[in-house]
Amino acid sequence: MALVLVTGGRGFIGTNLTRELRSRGHDVWTCDILQGEDPLHVRADTSVYQQMEAIFRKHKFDYVYHLAAEYGRWNGEDHYDNLWRTNVIGTKNILRLQERHPFRMIFFSSAEVYGDYDQLMSEDVMERIPIMQMNDYAITKWAGEMQCLNHASMFGSETVRVRPVGCYGPHEYYSPYRGVIPIFVYRSLTGEKFSVYRGHKRIFDYVDDTCTTFANIVENFKPGEVYNIGSREDWAIGIEELAEIVLEATGASPVLAEYKGEEGFTTRVKVVDFSKARRDLRHDPKIDIREGVRRYVAWTRKVYNK
Amino acid sequence: MALVLVTGGRGFIGTNLTRELRSRGHDVWTCDILQGEDPLHVRADTSVYQQMEAIFRKHKFDYVYHLAAEYGRWNGEDHYDNLWRTNVIGTKNILRLQERHPFRMIFFSSAEVYGDYDQLMSEDVMERIPIMQMNDYAITKWAGEMQCLNHASMFGSETVRVRPVGCYGPHEYYSPYRGVIPIFVYRSLTGEKFSVYRGHKRIFDYVDDTCTTFANIVENFKPGEVYNIGSREDWAIGIEELAEIVLEATGASPVLAEYKGEEGFTTRVKVVDFSKARRDLRHDPKIDIREGVRRYVAWTRKVYNK
C-alpha cells in the first residue's frame, strides 16, 4: 500500500479519486485551497510554495496525484490570473518539491492540449504534428506537460501524464463554467434554458470509471508515459442526443433546450484513441451515458434539493 | 508621428528602443516595475491589471511595444513565479486591454521558442514541425505568442510578434543571469573567472541595430506577422572566439576564461533566418561584434567605474 497525496483533493475528480484510492487500502492525504473536515486534509494553495513545502516536510509520499487546477476554457479566459498561478506556477512548485523528495507524480493534463486537431487523437500526435492550443486553459495544460518533460530530462523525476476527456459525475458542482452535462442537468432541474450547439460530437466518461483507471496507475507506473483517459471510442455522442437523454432523465420540459448552430472556436467532432490506457492501465469503462446521467441527476437533485 | 507605449521601458531593450523611437519624432510613454525620472514614465507592473488599465484610460496609444518580461533561461528557472506572472499574465492583461482599446501591439517573444531545433530557424518552423520548448522561459514566450494569435482570431486584435536573437549592448546591466556578453565583459573588468563552453556557435546583435529594426515596424506594420530579429546570418560566431574578442577589448588576463566542454540542455549551433525582417522591416545591421563589444565595454566601464 502506498502513501499518496491528492492535490485539489476537494475538487470534482479529487474527491472521487481519493475515495477510490482509499477503498484500495492506500493512505491518502488531500490538499486543496479549501479547508476540509477530513483528518487527512490540509489546506494549501499549490501556487504558494511554502504551503506545499510544509506538507512534504511532514510526509514521504510515494505518489502525488497533481489535480489542483483551474478547469475549463471560459473559466480560464475570465480568471486567467488564477489559471496561470495555479496550473503552471503550482505545477512548477510540485516539480521543485519532486527534485527534493523522490515521489512519483501523476500530472493531470487535458485533451484540450490537442487544440483543433480533428483526426484521431493518439497520445503521440504532438510528436508528429505541430499543434496550437486555442485558449489559455489549453496552453496551461500543455505548458505543464512540457514542464514535466523538462524536469524529467534535467532531474530524472518520474512523472506520468494523463489527458482526461469529458469526465463527469457526482461532486461536479454546478457553475456556468462547467461542461455540458452539469449545465444541462442543473438547468433542467432548475427550469432554466440551456444552449445546445448542433453538429458537435463528444466523448463523456463517468467519473467512477475514470477514477478506476487513474487509481490503476500506481500498479503499473511507467515514468514518462502519457495517456488519454476517457470512456470508449464508440461511446462518442452528439450534443443534441445528450440533451435528449438529460431531458428524459430529469423529466424537464423540452423547451428548455435552445438549439443553435455550430459553436465557434472549438472542434466539431473529437475522436480519441484510448488503446494505450486499455493496454497499460486496464482501462475498462462500464457505465454508459444513460446510466451515468441517471446517477448524476440523482446526485444533483440531492445536493441542490431539486 | 505615433503615440507609443513601451512596457518594460526602463529595461535593457526598452531604454534603447525608447530613445530610437523618440529620435524619430514619436511620442513615447514608458512603463516599468521601476519608478523613473522621465516625465513620460509611469510605474506599473504589467501583471497587475489595474495598474496597466490606469495608463490606457489616460492615453490613446497607436502602438504598444510590449517588452516587459523576465528574461533568460536560468533567471526563469530560479524566479519562475515572477516569470509566469509577468510574461504570461502580464501579456494577457495587455491583450484584454487591446480588446477595449484598438492599439497595435508588438509582442516580444524570443528565438528560445525554437527549442532544440537545430536546422535553419525560419519563422514558419512551428507551423511545419512539432517543437518542444526546453525551459520555462521559452515556454512563457511561446505561450505569449499563442495568446496573441488566439486573441487575433477571436477579437481581430492586431499584433506583430518578434523573436530577438542574442541582442546585447548598453543598458544591459550585469547579473549572473545575463547572456554571455555581459558576463564575459563584466567579469573581465572585475577580474572574475567566467566559463567558456566549447563547440557552441551563436548570433549576436548590437542593440542599436536591433532597435532600428524594431522601430521600423510602425512604418510597415503587418498584423499577424512574426519576425526573427538578430544580426546577419554570416555573423554567427563561436563562443571561444567571442571570449577572445572580449579579452582583447578589455585587456583582461586570458586566465579568466575557463574553457569547458559542451553545455547541456542547449543547442550547439543556432542558425537563424533573417530574410523576412530584411524584406519587410529594412533590417540592415551595421555594427559587427568587434565594434559592438568595444562600445559595450566602454559603457560597462563607465557605469561600474571599472
Side-chain angles (χ1 to χ4, degrees):
Chain A
M1 293 303 101
L3 185 59
V4 179
L5 174 68
V6 176
T7 72
R10 291 213 51 187
F12 159 45
I13 295 178
T15 302
N16 289 284
L17 178 61
T18 299
R19 193 198 51 228
E20 174 65 24
L21 289 165
R22 284 177 179 166
S23 78
R24 297 179 184 203
H26 298 300
D27 293 317
V28 185
W29 284 81
T30 57
C31 69
D32 203 287
I33 39 170
L34 300 174
Q35 299 280 19
E37 71 284 3
D38 190 289
L40 301 192
H41 178 75
V42 182
R43 181 186 177 188
D45 182 339
T46 40
S47 75
V48 182
Y49 181 82
Q50 70 269 28
Q51 295 182 10
M52 297 309 293
E53 203 271 333
I55 301 173
F56 286 88
R57 222 183 312 126
K58 290 200 192 114
H59 309 284
K60 279 182 157 356
F61 295 109
D62 303 302
Y63 295 91
V64 174
Y65 281 88
H66 179 38
L67 273 157
E70 292 283 330
Y71 61 84
R73 174 184 160 208
W74 293 114
N75 175 49
E77 292 303 306
D78 284 353
H79 305 97
Y80 56 88
D81 194 341
N82 310 60
L83 175 83
W84 286 99
R85 281 193 279 109
T86 300
N87 293 20
V88 179
I89 297 173
T91 296
K92 190 79 172 183
N93 285 338
I94 302 283
L95 287 163
R96 283 274 176 256
L97 287 161
Q98 203 183 11
E99 287 168 39
R100 275 142 224 163
H101 308 272
F103 58 82
R104 291 175 147 187
M105 201 224 301
I106 296 94
F107 173 72
F108 282 73
S109 178
S110 162
E112 283 280 311
V113 297
Y114 295 111
D116 62 353
Y117 184 67
D118 59 1
Q119 304 299 303
L120 180 68
M121 295 174 184
S122 297
E123 287 87 347
D124 65 350
V125 163
M126 354 287 290
E127 292 157 37
R128 293 185 282 108
I129 293 157
I131 301 276
M132 303 281 285
Q133 286 75 39
M134 297 165 77
N135 53 70
D136 274 37
Y137 171 71
I139 302 173
T140 65
K141 289 299 182 182
W142 181 236
E145 289 203 35
M146 285 195 285
Q147 289 177 312
C148 290
L149 290 165
N150 289 336
H151 274 250
S153 86
M154 294 192 85
F155 305 104
S157 50
E158 297 190 331
T159 302
V160 161
R161 290 162 289 141
V162 295
R163 296 179 185 150
V165 186
C167 186
Y168 73 98
H171 300 286
E172 192 176 11
Y173 288 87
Y174 171 77
S175 92
Y177 295 106
R178 287 289 190 188
V180 281
I181 295 183
I183 290 176
F184 286 8
V185 167
Y186 181 86
R187 295 197 181 168
S188 291
L189 294 176
T190 56
E192 294 168 88
K193 287 185 180 294
F194 54 90
S195 301
V196 182
Y197 293 98
R198 290 186 201 278
H200 294 274
K201 207 164 176 179
R202 290 287 182 274
I203 284 173
F204 297 100
D205 49 288
Y206 191 70
V207 67
D208 283 14
D209 283 333
T210 326
C211 284
T212 299
T213 304
F214 292 151
N216 289 345
I217 295 173
V218 304
E219 291 162 25
N220 188 27
F221 189 97
K222 295 186 170 182
E225 282 295 353
V226 54
Y227 301 99
N228 293 326
I229 298 181
S231 58
R232 299 172 183 276
E233 288 82 346
D234 58 357
W235 284 5
I237 183 176
I239 297 300
E240 292 140 281
E241 193 186 341
L242 174 69
E244 284 162 25
I245 291 171
V246 169
L247 289 169
E248 198 186 305
T250 55
S253 162
V255 301
L256 295 180
E258 298 191 305
Y259 293 88
K260 296 188 177 172
E262 235 177 79
E263 193 180 7
F265 305 105
T266 185
T267 33
R268 216 171 54 75
V269 177
K270 288 194 181 178
V271 202
V272 190
D273 176 5
F274 300 113
S275 56
K276 209 169 147 189
R278 277 194 294 272
R279 192 192 64 205
D280 284 2
L281 305 175
R282 297 184 285 115
H283 179 62
D284 184 21
K286 311 264 191 229
I287 300 161
D288 70 12
I289 188 74
R290 286 183 186 276
E291 173 62 16
V293 165
R294 203 188 55 71
R295 294 189 194 184
Y296 183 60
V297 167
W299 178 84
T300 307
R301 278 191 193 282
K302 198 178 67 183
V303 165
Y304 293 102
N305 292 310
K306 297 292 169 192
Chain B
M1 295 302 100
L3 185 59
V4 179
L5 174 68
V6 176
T7 73
R10 291 214 52 187
F12 160 44
I13 295 178
T15 303
N16 288 284
L17 178 61
T18 299
R19 194 198 50 230
E20 174 65 24
L21 289 165
R22 285 179 178 164
S23 78
R24 298 179 183 203
H26 299 300
D27 293 318
V28 184
W29 284 81
T30 58
C31 68
D32 203 287
I33 38 170
L34 300 174
Q35 299 280 18
E37 71 284 3
D38 190 289
L40 301 191
H41 178 74
V42 182
R43 180 186 175 186
D45 182 338
T46 41
S47 76
V48 182
Y49 181 81
Q50 69 270 29
Q51 295 182 11
M52 297 309 294
E53 203 270 334
I55 301 173
F56 286 87
R57 223 184 309 128
K58 288 198 192 116
H59 309 284
K60 277 182 155 1
F61 296 109
D62 302 302
Y63 295 90
V64 174
Y65 281 88
H66 179 39
L67 273 157
E70 292 284 330
Y71 61 83
R73 173 181 158 209
W74 293 114
N75 175 51
E77 292 305 305
D78 284 355
H79 304 97
Y80 57 87
D81 194 341
N82 311 61
L83 175 83
W84 286 100
R85 280 192 280 110
T86 301
N87 294 19
V88 179
I89 296 173
T91 296
K92 191 79 172 183
N93 285 338
I94 303 285
L95 287 164
R96 284 275 176 257
L97 287 161
Q98 203 183 9
E99 288 167 38
R100 275 141 224 164
H101 308 273
F103 58 82
R104 292 175 146 187
M105 202 223 302
I106 296 96
F107 173 72
F108 282 74
S109 177
S110 162
E112 282 280 310
V113 297
Y114 295 112
D116 62 352
Y117 184 67
D118 59 1
Q119 305 300 301
L120 180 68
M121 295 175 186
S122 296
E123 286 88 347
D124 65 349
V125 163
M126 354 287 290
E127 291 156 36
R128 292 185 282 109
I129 293 156
I131 300 275
M132 303 280 286
Q133 285 75 39
M134 295 165 77
N135 53 71
D136 274 37
Y137 171 70
I139 303 173
T140 64
K141 288 300 183 182
W142 181 237
E145 289 204 36
M146 285 195 285
Q147 289 178 311
C148 290
L149 290 166
N150 289 335
H151 274 249
S153 86
M154 293 192 86
F155 305 104
S157 50
E158 297 191 331
T159 302
V160 160
R161 291 163 288 141
V162 295
R163 297 178 185 151
V165 187
C167 186
Y168 73 99
H171 301 286
E172 192 175 11
Y173 288 87
Y174 171 77
S175 92
Y177 294 107
R178 287 288 190 189
V180 282
I181 294 183
I183 289 176
F184 287 8
V185 168
Y186 181 86
R187 295 197 182 168
S188 292
L189 294 176
T190 55
E192 295 168 88
K193 287 186 181 294
F194 53 89
S195 300
V196 182
Y197 294 98
R198 290 186 202 278
H200 294 273
K201 206 165 178 180
R202 290 286 183 275
I203 284 174
F204 298 99
D205 49 289
Y206 190 71
V207 67
D208 283 14
D209 283 334
T210 327
C211 285
T212 299
T213 304
F214 292 152
N216 290 345
I217 294 173
V218 304
E219 291 162 25
N220 188 27
F221 189 97
K222 294 186 170 178
E225 281 296 353
V226 52
Y227 302 98
N228 294 326
I229 298 182
S231 59
R232 298 171 184 276
E233 288 82 346
D234 57 356
W235 283 6
I237 183 176
I239 298 300
E240 292 140 281
E241 194 187 341
L242 175 69
E244 284 161 26
I245 291 171
V246 169
L247 289 169
E248 199 186 305
T250 55
S253 163
V255 301
L256 295 180
E258 298 191 305
Y259 293 89
K260 297 189 176 170
E262 234 177 80
E263 192 180 8
F265 304 105
T266 185
T267 33
R268 217 170 54 74
V269 176
K270 287 193 181 178
V271 202
V272 190
D273 176 5
F274 300 114
S275 55
K276 208 168 147 189
R278 276 195 294 273
R279 192 191 65 205
D280 284 2
L281 305 174
R282 297 183 287 116
H283 180 63
D284 183 22
K286 312 265 191 228
I287 300 161
D288 71 10
I289 188 73
R290 287 184 185 275
E291 173 62 15
V293 164
R294 202 189 55 72
R295 294 190 193 183
Y296 182 60
V297 168
W299 177 84
T300 308
R301 279 191 194 282
K302 198 179 69 185
V303 165
Y304 294 103
N305 292 310
K306 296 292 168 193

